């Protein structure tokens, strides 16, 4: 178990009622949404386990798991989405890569939406930019700048 989940009684308990599990998941979500460092670290670690091993043993929130992904991993993910991902996986990443709290990652993501290889459909491009702008104040600021600087290309 993760210390912050135990401290806030957010770690699941075997055989508890589904309503309690739902409340725990909601509390965990808002804990991460508030950018609690321990929560984001926990979700990041679960995402990295999934990313490196393919294991789906741990349940995690993609958005929170991607918030602190470093630039190298982010590039790998973006390339994976662009050239290899199945439709469902691709959609999941497009909807959540904009959760990053790394300015360079977000700039690279939005720039990829207008690159010459057209790796994203118009709808995917729209989702990518709007989801990025909806995920954090940083994403909103960078998205507004990106749109104003690249309006003709969009």
């Amino acid at each position: 178990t993760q210390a912050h989940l135990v401290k806030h009684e957010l770690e699941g308990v075997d055989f508890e009622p589904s309503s309690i599990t739902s409340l725990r998941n909601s509390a965990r979500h808002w804990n991460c949404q508030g950018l609690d460092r321990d929560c984001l670290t926990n979700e990041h670690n679960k995402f990295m386990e999934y990313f490196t091993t393919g294991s789906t043993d741990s349940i995690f929130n993609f958005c929170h798991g991607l918030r602190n992904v470093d630039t190298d991993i982010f590039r790998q993910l973006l390339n994976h989405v662009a050239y290899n991902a199945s439709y469902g996986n691709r959609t999941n990443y497009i909807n959540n890569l904009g959760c990053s709290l790394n300015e360079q990652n977000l700039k690279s993501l939005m720039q990829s939406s207008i690159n010459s290889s057209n790796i994203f459909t118009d709808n995917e491009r729209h989702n990518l930019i709007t989801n990025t702008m909806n995920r954090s104040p940083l994403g909103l600021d960078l998205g507004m700048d990106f749109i104003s600087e690249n309006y003709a290309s969009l």
Side-chain angles (χ1 to χ4, degrees):
T1 59
Q2 300 297 320
H4 79 285
L5 296 177
V6 173
K7 178 176 82 176
H8 297 293
E9 298 181 12
L10 300 176
E11 186 63 39
V13 177
D14 290 337
F15 308 111
E16 71 183 358
S18 61
S19 60
I20 300 299
T21 301
S22 179
L23 287 172
R24 286 182 195 280
N25 289 337
S26 181
R28 183 177 14 233
H29 167 76
W30 287 108
N31 197 22
C32 283
Q33 192 68 19
L35 304 181
D36 178 82
R37 183 178 312 161
D38 292 334
C39 185
L40 293 179
T41 298
N42 182 49
E43 294 297 297
H44 174 76
N45 291 343
K46 288 179 180 180
F47 170 77
M48 290 307 297
E49 178 183 347
Y50 166 76
F51 179 69
T52 57
T53 68
S55 170
T56 57
D57 292 340
S58 296
I59 296 172
F60 64 94
N61 178 293
F62 257 76
C63 181
H64 301 315
L66 291 168
R67 288 207 182 267
N68 294 318
V69 170
D70 68 38
T71 304
D72 290 334
I73 296 293
F74 194 87
R75 272 194 219 116
Q76 288 179 44
L77 291 169
L78 192 53
N79 285 333
H80 174 70
V81 170
Y83 302 109
N84 302 317
S86 66
Y87 176 76
N89 205 10
R90 180 180 175 93
T91 300
N92 190 24
Y93 280 111
I94 287 170
N95 290 338
N96 289 295
L97 281 170
C99 292
S100 177
L101 296 174
N102 178 304
E103 184 174 340
Q104 187 57 46
N105 288 349
L106 294 178
K107 286 180 176 180
S108 295
L109 178 63
M110 287 187 282
Q111 192 62 41
S112 72
S113 73
I114 59 170
N115 73 14
S116 59
S117 66
N118 290 322
I119 57 176
F120 297 111
T121 66
D122 289 343
N123 191 45
E124 288 173 333
R125 225 183 324 278
H126 170 79
N127 289 342
L128 188 146
I129 293 169
T130 56
N131 284 329
T132 298
M133 293 173 68
N134 287 327
R135 301 298 188 170
S136 68
L138 175 63
L140 178 61
D141 289 343
L142 293 175
M144 295 299 290
D145 290 345
F146 179 77
I147 289 170
S148 67
E149 293 167 8
N150 298 287
Y151 186 77
S153 299
L154 297 170

